[in-house]
Every structure is written in structure tokens, then in C-alpha cells.
Amino acid sequence: MSVWSFDYRPHRRFVSPAEAKPQIWRLCFGLVLGAGLFLVLSQLIFGSLFRVMTPATVEAILADGQTGQTTAGMLIVLLQLGLLTVSAGLVAFMVHKRSPITLIGDLTQARRQFVVVTLAMVLLTAVLWILPPWDFGDPIQRNMATGRWLLLLPVALIAVLIQTSAEEILFRGYIQQQLAAKFKSPLVWMVLPAVLFGLGHYMPSSAGSNAWTIALWATVFGVLMADLTARSGTLGPAMAVHFVNNVSALVLVSVPDEMSGLALFVLPFGLGDEAQMAAWLPVDFVMILVSWLVARLAIRA
């Protein structure tokens, strides 16, 4: 089958568990309930941890968690987002009367597709690092000693996997499934979750005039991940692309002003450097398109 095929028959199997309770009011209620559960779980977990810490330590951790510029702050950001998985699973069970596992699809197939696409993405990333250009206009800067980075690497990979899986389970799992159970048009179940995903990446205080460009980039990324999910019938490929992409952006080379607490290197410019960021966003956009094509090729194997 061609890499350009838009045969979405596997998506029907992926969506079928949502068809028993497809009402839009359930989806809306589920999103509100999920947001509430996320906040309650965050408060319970982090509130319990903070109670055994000194006020000064709590204040420092909360400050770090705003930007992710330290290791502790970055881990807090990533692991807290992982609670989206728990809240989405609870909503699926309580509101839609279905197993949380159905948000991922067939687990055996999802696992196999995740491994295949991850290997393909790692190979692509290695090739992109080898090929010119070898910098971003100026040399990238070391952010962390190699020895410390290697010690943190297993924890960093697990944290990024938790974060990216949670986002895929919420947007391409829960929201996409429930919309597709009610609406047949991809313009609804593919685009609407992607728009919500893009709005979550709108950061005018950090990105300035590039904020809408970054939000648009995230929206297109969401559409491409929705396509991979519909094409494969599981969240495996989307999770893999999202995981490797975020490892590249958060663990290998990050921006210096935000989300750099786990990165080995940082870029020579930050989100606030509007001109330089604007010049490189199209390159990043092309890399995402290439990643999508590589993932489509991988799931044909």
C-alpha cells in the first residue's frame, strides 16, 4: 500500500469502543471532569510532597516548575502532565463506561508499531545530526556536563515518554475517538483536537510575535499525529513520533530560556529572540513533515 494512502479503515476499529457512548454532552462533561481530576490529582500528589519540605524548598521548586530551567523543575513539568493519562482513563471509565486501555487501541499492535516507528525516528534523527548544517547560525552551547547528563538520561527518557504519551492519550485517544464516534468527517475528529493541542502551545509571553506561528506548528503536528493514528489504528506511531521529537527538543538540544533543565545542549538563541526563531521555525516545520513521512513508511513494514 502506498505511503500516500489515506485508507483509514484501521481507524474504525480504534474508534469502535467509543461508539457505545458517543454523545457530545458526555465529551464536554468528560473534558471538564478531566480538567478537575487533573487539578485535584496534582494538588494531592504535589501537596503531599510539599508538606514534608521546607517553605524555602517548596518556593524554589515552584519557581523552577514555571520555566523548567532546572532538572527538578523540568521533571515536575513533565511528570505533572503525565497525570493527564490518569484523568483521561478515569473519564473514559466513569463517563463513557469503557476501559481506559481502549484509549490506546490494541496494546500488542500499539507496542509493535511504537517500537518500529521509534527505531525509524532515531535513525532519522541520527542522519539529521550528521548532515549539514551543523549549527544554528552560531554554535550550540553546552548546558550540562556529559557525565551528569548520562546519569539523568534514563529518568529523562521515562519522564518524556510519560508526558508525550499522556498528551497523545488525551488528544488523539480520548478526544479524537469520541468525536469520530459521533462525526464521520476527518475535518471534525482530525482538526478539532489538533486546534486544541495547538492552543495549548500558544505562549505569547515567551515567544512574542512567534507565538501564533508556534501554535500553528503544533496544530499541524496534531493533524499529522491524527493521521498516523487513523492510518495505524493505534496510538503507537503518534506516541513514537511525539516521544522522539520531544527527546530531541528537551533532552538533546533545548532553548536556553525555558524547558532546558534536562538538555545536554541549548540553542544559541531563545524563544524571545524573535528574528532568529522565525528563521528556524520553517526548518523545524519541514523536519516534522519528514518525520511524519518516515513514520508512515515504518508502519507499512
Side-chain angles (χ1 to χ4, degrees):
M1 192 174 292
S2 169
V3 67
W4 298 109
S5 172
F6 290 91
D7 178 4
Y8 287 159
R9 280 177 293 180
H11 193 239
R12 299 173 192 169
R13 295 192 301 272
F14 179 66
V15 172
S16 60
E19 292 174 346
K21 305 286 184 183
Q23 296 86 353
I24 292 300
W25 71 263
R26 289 182 186 272
L27 172 60
C28 295
F29 176 65
L31 291 174
V32 174
L33 177 62
L37 289 170
F38 175 79
L39 294 175
V40 169
L41 289 170
S42 297
Q43 182 62 37
L44 285 174
I45 293 172
F46 291 101
S48 299
L49 290 174
F50 291 160
R51 273 196 289 271
V52 300
M53 299 177 181
T54 64
T57 302
V58 171
E59 184 178 351
I61 290 175
L62 289 175
D64 291 343
Q66 297 298 314
T67 61
Q69 285 185 294
T70 65
T71 298
M74 193 63 199
L75 289 174
I76 287 174
V77 171
L78 296 175
L79 295 176
Q80 183 179 23
L81 286 172
L83 294 175
L84 291 172
T85 295
V86 181
S87 58
L90 289 172
V91 166
F93 179 74
M94 293 188 295
V95 179
H96 302 277
K97 314 300 180 186
R98 62 188 179 103
S99 168
I101 298 299
T102 60
L103 296 173
I104 299 174
D106 180 84
L107 285 182
T108 301
Q109 186 179 18
R111 189 182 304 112
R112 181 186 65 81
Q113 292 171 338
F114 177 85
V115 170
V116 169
V117 175
T118 297
L119 292 174
M121 290 296 299
V122 169
L123 178 60
L124 172 65
T125 302
V127 170
L128 292 175
W129 271 73
I130 293 171
L131 293 176
W134 295 285
D135 55 39
F136 292 81
D138 293 305
I140 57 176
Q141 303 160 8
R142 182 171 290 276
N143 183 59
M144 189 184 301
T146 303
R148 184 169 185 266
W149 181 79
L150 288 173
L151 286 174
L152 289 170
L153 184 59
V155 177
L157 293 177
I158 291 171
V160 173
L161 180 61
I162 289 172
Q163 173 255 323
T164 53
S165 296
E167 292 184 358
E168 290 307 315
I169 286 170
L170 174 62
F171 289 98
R172 261 63 69 181
Y174 177 63
I175 300 176
Q176 180 168 322
Q177 279 183 335
Q178 290 303 139
L179 286 174
K182 188 68 175 179
F183 303 99
K184 301 305 179 185
S185 173
L187 292 176
V188 177
W189 55 259
M190 184 178 283
V191 175
L192 184 55
V195 170
L196 295 175
F197 182 73
L199 289 175
H201 289 75
Y202 178 65
M203 305 173 293
S205 60
S206 302
S209 61
N210 293 317
W212 280 114
T213 304
I214 293 173
L216 177 61
W217 172 95
T219 300
V220 173
F221 180 84
V223 170
L224 298 179
M225 295 308 99
D227 168 81
L228 288 178
T229 301
R231 188 71 184 81
S232 63
T234 80
L235 289 184
M239 284 180 172
V241 174
H242 201 161
F243 170 64
V244 176
N245 176 76
N246 279 26
V247 167
S248 297
L250 301 177
V251 181
L252 294 179
V253 184
S254 184
V255 290
D257 42 7
E258 288 194 13
M259 311 293 275
S260 59
L262 295 172
L264 180 60
F265 299 102
V266 290
L267 296 173
F269 52 85
L271 288 175
D273 298 318
E274 297 183 13
Q276 288 181 286
M277 280 297 297
W280 275 100
L281 282 172
V283 178
D284 196 40
F285 182 77
V286 171
M287 289 174 64
I288 288 301
L289 289 177
V290 173
S291 298
W292 168 68
L293 286 173
V294 168
R296 269 184 154 252
L297 281 169
I299 60 178
R300 290 176 61 229

